[in-house]
Amino acid sequence: MPSREQVAYFGAGPAPLPTAVLEKGAEAFVNFEDTGLSLAEISHRSQTANKILADTKAALTSLLNIPDSHDILFMHGGGSGEFSAVVLNLVSVWVERRRKQAEAELGRDEQKILERVKNELQADLRLDYLITGSWSLKASQEAANLLEPLGKGLINVALDSRQSNNGKFGTIPSEDTWNLTQSRAKGGKGSAFVYYCDNETVDGVEFPGLPKCLDHSSQDLDDELLVVADMSSNFLSRRVDVSKHAVIFGGAQKNIGITDVTLVIVRKDILSSHASSSFLHALGVWSPPVILSWPIIAKNNSLYNTMPIFSIWIAGEVMRGLLATHRERGLAGQEDLANRKAKLLYDVLDAYPDVYQVVPNRSARSRMNICFRVRGGDPAQEKAFLEYAEAQLLQGLKGHRSVGGIRASNYNAVPLQNVEKLAAYLKDFARKSKPAQPAGD
């Protein structure tokens, strides 16, 4: 049986966790801090649980420099659950803003206000999506599904990167080709929000940073742009300006912890700007179910229902480990390490172009998920690559089932020495690899 130190795991998620966190977690799962109780057993309403939530929030705030304008929520449902939550919560915000504008102009005539907002809902509601991979595509499809009862054309696909890459994901086209909904201040309809997935795990595509056209702040509601980022797979791998986002969310099972926890960072003014359920229903709009309602979760300190306190504690331990490792450098230190690890792998892949072909364009390469083919996707060659890798205890390298190929996930807890081991294997395999012989030879 191999030891943990002998195995180099590059799975896309659930992802590796720091060994020190797992060891401490094993103790906490049986007897947390000599209480005689497991963290899986304590009440989520206990002082211990509340302290764990507060400590984890504090660690995340320190790492990301989260301003007072934003709140931190712990939720269920993973990133896919937030696909729905984003739509239901931010459409509610859009409706409430339109209702207030109507009330200011029409007075308190509820019927006229309802009729006006209903007309505006059909004519003006737009949700902008930047589709750069499988997950942003799924997010847009969920939005279209949820809003279908209101009619077609409410989802504005401002970017579909497949259109400039022969029908496949792998690039992020220039921003001047995007078709974002113009703000009302500029004569457009104005979007309820614009969504992007910062890192696409399936396709190995990552935004180099916040797109310039989304770096927009305004005190005028008619000119405001609510930016929503899915950072499930590159969370805490680099610095992020939280103040420029209305919402950031991510599942914990990549860089933060284990499954069961979804982190949501949301502007506080958004939490207090929702339409009432009765008004939404009168419009034919679904209100957020309580389990996905950001205002309800925030009001109850993420404890509206039973949260997995053990999982939140694990996330906090991971965060505190990052703070201890990088000290005053914080995420700048982790960013440098992530870049270094990714460069090690890409340099080897690029050095053997006849053997390895990186899937995404160089300008959009993910630091977290390195996706490539062996000998142009030759099935026998890729099977051999994976088998030989497994024999050397290099595990979790098979590409996503929807696209195939090879994928090495380079999350925060993957040690540098494991990346170096993989880089050495890539070199060795390339030197020994021979092109497949044509049939009949």
Side-chain angles (χ1 to χ4, degrees), residues 43 67 74 196 217 222 240 250 261 284 290 304 335 372-373 392:
S43 169
F74 299 102
Y196 74 101
S217 61
D222 284 343
V240 174
V261 177
V290 291
Y304 177 82
E335 184 174 354
F372 59 96
R373 306 309 298 248
Q392 297 188 35

Side-chain angles (χ1 to χ4, degrees), residues 31-53:
N31 186 353
F32 179 65
E33 295 184 349
D34 295 324
T35 61
L37 290 174
S38 165
L39 267 185
E41 297 172 323
I42 67 166
S43 169
H44 63 296
R45 307 215 182 271
S46 65
Q47 289 184 351
T48 299
N50 276 270
K51 184 176 186 303
I52 287 171
L53 260 70

Side-chain angles (χ1 to χ4, degrees), residues 53-54 56-58 60-61 64 66 69-78 82 85-86 89-90 235 242 246-252 256 260-272 274 288-305 307-308 312 315 319:
L53 260 70
T56 304
K57 284 185 179 183
L60 185 58
T61 299
L64 282 175
I66 298 175
S69 56
H70 288 63
D71 203 351
I72 299 169
L73 312 180
F74 299 102
M75 299 184 68
H76 301 280
E82 288 309 304
V86 164
N89 282 277
L90 292 184
F235 214 92
V242 174
V247 181
I248 295 172
F249 69 84
I256 309 169
D260 282 350
V261 177
T262 310
L263 286 90
V264 180
I265 304 170
V266 57
R267 259 177 31 197
K268 292 177 180 177
D269 65 301
I270 287 174
L271 297 173
S272 59
H274 282 244
V290 291
I291 203 66
L292 295 179
S293 171
W294 296 337
I296 290 176
I297 300 302
K299 182 180 178 180
N300 289 274
N301 189 32
S302 298
L303 295 173
Y304 177 82
N305 67 333
M307 285 300 294
I312 295 173
M319 295 172 194

Side-chain angles (χ1 to χ4, degrees), residues 125-180:
L125 179 62
R126 295 295 181 273
L127 281 57
D128 284 7
Y129 280 80
L130 305 179
I131 299 178
T132 54
S134 300
W135 290 110
S136 49
L137 176 61
K138 288 182 178 181
S140 70
Q141 291 169 338
E142 175 67 356
N145 178 58
L146 289 171
L147 297 184
E148 185 176 9
L150 299 179
K152 302 291 185 180
L154 304 183
I155 310 304
N156 174 44
V157 177
L159 162 67
D160 186 338
S161 64
R162 294 173 296 182
Q163 296 178 358
S164 61
N165 195 43
N166 298 316
K168 296 182 179 180
F169 294 121
T171 65
I172 300 178
S174 172
E175 292 183 29
D176 59 14
T177 65
W178 302 1
N179 184 35
L180 292 168

